[in-house]
Amino acid sequence: MIDTHEFTKEEEIATLMMGKPHLVILGAGASLAAFPKGEKSNKRIPLMNDLVTVLGIQKELETHEINTKLNFENIFSDIYGNERYSKLIEVIETKIHSYFSNLELPNYPTVYDHLVLSLREKDLIATFNWDPFLYYACWRNHEKAKLPQILYLHGNSVVGYCLKDKTMGYVRSKCSKCGNNFTPSRLLYPVKNKNYTADPFIHSQWKILQNYLKNAFMVTIFGYSAPRTDIAAYNLMKSAWGNVQNRDMEQFEIVDIKDDKELRKTWGNFIHTHHYETHKSFYDSWIANHPRRTGEAYWAQYCEAQFVDTNPIPQTDNFSDLYNWMKPLIDAETNNK
């Protein structure tokens, strides 16, 4: 490491020494933050508290004398598994899949493009979201840089898989190994007691997530607040993260509009003393301020006690400008190999 107490932007770009992964976990709040006014066609990004309205299923629910003012998670949990509502559940699931599978990314760089381009192939993004934004961002940027691994913890509206060859891709395409059509991934709907082992694809995604959690040096939670309502997910993540007293070198980062006190309470069992940060915006995060070098910047600041410059990803509307800006980072990685 250099002798000076300053870790400059140029040194950050040139330095590649962190082998452990940076793990990002996405919730619906990430998509809402990316598209607060709607996606390419101005379709709204629904959360559980307004999903009924966005999907336009009030009439179907009212026909069955169901209170449409309730959170969708409460509604679906109450009717799931009840034969009386089997046709209603079928209608709801069809509308959910149709709505989310038709969402599109705008033609300019978005938060999702910046996210996938700001991590390396050693890193991982795991999403709870049904929307296709993460998949599409990877698809349109994969030729420009080595991108992080992706997991779909609740299935995804445009992702299919081949269980035999353990591959996945666009739902209407074929497995590159055996040539068979992909099986559409099952969407895991919001019931109170989720079973993450019943579906083989979702089970495989969770096994990979747990392995990454065990080895991650930094975890970023972006727009995900499910631990209070999804005990199964919380327990699976906590068992992999382990005793927080043994994570004294790792950093926990939360990007959410909630206040620091509430977020600290929600994620307290994952945080070692003061080793955490909260941000209201993705662009204040380590990922956006140290793209593709979060580990190197973290090590320089916390382990080498250096002053670290930021190297924020540009919020440009032009992909060419974005790729030109990223070229020194990609070149350094290529030369390092």
Side-chain angles (χ1 to χ4, degrees):
M1 191 62 73
I2 56 176
D3 294 330
T4 180
H5 288 296
E6 182 180 9
F7 190 62
T8 65
K9 178 175 66 175
E10 291 73 22
E11 287 163 338
E12 179 177 308
I13 291 172
T15 302
L16 287 121
M17 48 74 67
M18 177 58 74
K20 287 193 169 187
H22 187 151
L23 169 61
V24 181
I25 298 177
L26 299 181
S31 292
L32 184 61
F35 310 108
K37 297 182 180 179
E39 46 75 89
K40 182 177 182 180
S41 302
N42 298 317
K43 295 187 183 76
R44 290 170 56 188
I45 310 304
L47 302 178
M48 287 299 152
N49 60 4
D50 64 0
L51 189 62
V52 170
T53 303
V54 175
L55 290 182
I57 57 175
Q58 297 97 325
K59 289 184 178 179
E60 287 90 344
L61 295 175
E62 289 169 353
T63 299
H64 290 79
E65 299 180 343
I66 295 171
N67 184 357
T68 60
K69 302 298 183 183
L70 295 175
N71 183 290
F72 180 75
E73 185 166 16
N74 295 329
I75 293 173
F76 201 84
S77 291
D78 288 341
I79 67 175
Y80 188 78
N82 189 327
E83 184 62 28
R84 174 187 174 190
Y85 301 113
S86 59
K87 293 294 184 182
L88 174 61
I89 291 172
E90 186 177 320
V91 170
I92 292 173
E93 291 182 345
T94 299
K95 286 198 172 187
I96 286 175
H97 194 281
S98 176
Y99 189 89
F100 281 92
S101 63
N102 283 292
L103 296 174
E104 296 182 277
L105 287 174
N107 294 326
Y108 53 82
T110 69
V111 169
Y112 275 95
D113 298 288
H114 294 155
L115 173 62
V116 301
L117 286 168
S118 295
L119 295 169
R120 305 209 297 270
E121 59 184 322
K122 70 178 179 63
D123 303 319
L124 175 76
I125 304 174
T127 180
F128 283 92
N129 299 338
W130 298 324
D131 66 59
F133 301 133
L134 183 60
Y135 178 83
Y136 287 154
C138 289
W139 180 80
R140 70 183 184 182
N141 291 291
H142 76 278
E143 292 183 348
K144 300 299 180 179
K146 295 289 187 181
L147 303 182
Q149 307 301 307
I150 306 295
L151 297 178
Y152 301 96
L153 303 176
H154 279 179
N156 191 266
S157 58
V158 299
V159 172
Y161 66 94
C162 173
L163 193 61
K164 172 180 172 290
D165 294 308
K166 295 181 173 56
T167 60
M168 66 179 178
Y170 185 60
V171 68
R172 295 178 183 174
S173 60
K174 299 177 184 293
C175 173
S176 59
K177 294 183 178 180
C178 67
N180 291 331
N181 292 330
F182 279 130
T183 300
S185 61
R186 173 176 170 262
L187 300 188
L188 190 59
Y189 292 98
V191 294
K192 292 176 182 175
N193 298 310
K194 298 182 181 70
N195 187 338
Y196 287 109
T197 62
D199 181 84
F201 173 73
I202 290 176
H203 180 55
S204 70
Q205 301 290 280
W206 275 91
K207 286 180 66 177
I208 297 171
L209 173 65
Q210 288 182 299
N211 185 56
Y212 269 84
L213 266 170
K214 291 176 183 177
N215 296 287
F217 80 91
M218 184 181 289
V219 175
T220 298
I221 307 293
F222 185 8
Y224 172 61
S225 58
R228 289 183 296 181
T229 56
D230 192 348
I231 302 302
Y234 181 90
N235 289 338
L236 284 170
M237 289 189 289
K238 186 65 180 73
S239 65
W241 187 245
N243 188 334
V244 70
Q245 298 305 317
N246 298 327
R247 309 304 297 245
D248 57 337
M249 293 296 292
E250 288 80 5
Q251 185 78 355
F252 210 81
E253 178 182 54
I254 309 162
V255 180
D256 203 296
I257 60 174
K258 299 183 182 70
D259 63 56
D260 180 273
K261 185 177 181 180
E262 181 178 357
L263 294 171
R264 181 65 170 81
K265 182 178 180 181
T266 299
W267 293 101
N269 289 333
F270 290 79
I271 296 169
H272 184 282
T273 59
H274 60 283
H275 291 200
Y276 82 103
E277 298 177 14
T278 61
H279 305 291
K280 302 291 185 185
S281 169
F282 167 77
Y283 293 104
D284 294 326
S285 71
W286 277 81
I287 301 170
N289 280 294
H290 303 282
R292 304 185 74 83
R293 301 293 186 273
T294 53
E296 289 73 16
Y298 172 83
W299 186 268
Q301 179 167 310
Y302 287 107
C303 300
E304 299 289 343
Q306 294 181 307
F307 296 103
V308 178
D309 287 346
T310 60
N311 186 33
I313 193 165
Q315 298 179 51
T316 173
D317 288 338
N318 186 288
F319 273 106
S320 294
D321 291 342
L322 176 60
Y323 296 147
N324 287 335
W325 180 88
M326 295 201 66
K327 189 175 186 301
L329 289 160
I330 307 304
D331 287 347
E333 293 164 25
T334 303
N335 293 335
N336 184 70
K337 289 183 179 180

